[in-house]
Amino acid sequence: MHKNVLDIEYITHDNAQEIYKNGQSSLLEHKNLHIDFNSLKKFDSSIFAVILGWRRIASQNQLVLNIILSEKLQTLADVYGISDIL
């Protein structure tokens, strides 16, 4: 079963470290995490560092991380050329 335990309204440089740590804790606790960014209201490129960090944790610990990107976030990932690794 997937757990969607993070209620995130925005991710910017100002809160990226806190969001990363919360996600890390949730991922390690639940082992199977689903995060839907469709309700994300505000973000900057810091979000990609957060997602990539979570991906690394999931990979190193054989955990499941399912991330749904909003259309705007997917477009930005395409611009940066990182869609394939998110």
Side-chain angles (χ1 to χ4, degrees):
M1 174 193 284
H2 291 289
K3 299 282 185 181
N4 192 5
V5 296
L6 298 179
D7 185 20
I8 304 168
E9 291 187 19
Y10 72 97
I11 299 177
T12 64
H13 177 73
D14 295 335
N15 72 337
Q17 187 173 17
E18 176 185 355
I19 296 293
Y20 172 78
K21 287 179 182 178
N22 290 343
Q24 177 184 21
S25 296
S26 295
L27 184 57
L28 292 171
E29 177 184 347
H30 296 287
K31 313 287 188 229
N32 191 340
L33 193 61
H34 173 86
I35 302 173
D36 186 341
F37 284 119
N38 279 303
S39 62
L40 196 64
K41 295 180 172 85
K42 179 180 174 184
F43 60 87
D44 63 21
S45 60
S46 300
I47 191 170
F48 298 129
V50 170
I51 293 171
L52 291 172
W54 290 342
R55 288 273 185 226
R56 184 178 60 250
I57 292 165
S59 176
Q60 290 171 347
N61 294 282
Q62 299 178 341
L63 307 174
V64 176
L65 177 61
N66 182 27
I67 294 183
I68 306 298
L69 301 178
S70 67
E71 187 175 327
K72 287 182 180 182
L73 192 51
Q74 182 64 54
T75 299
L76 186 59
D78 291 342
V79 168
Y80 282 123
I82 59 172
S83 295
D84 292 343
I85 61 173
L86 292 178

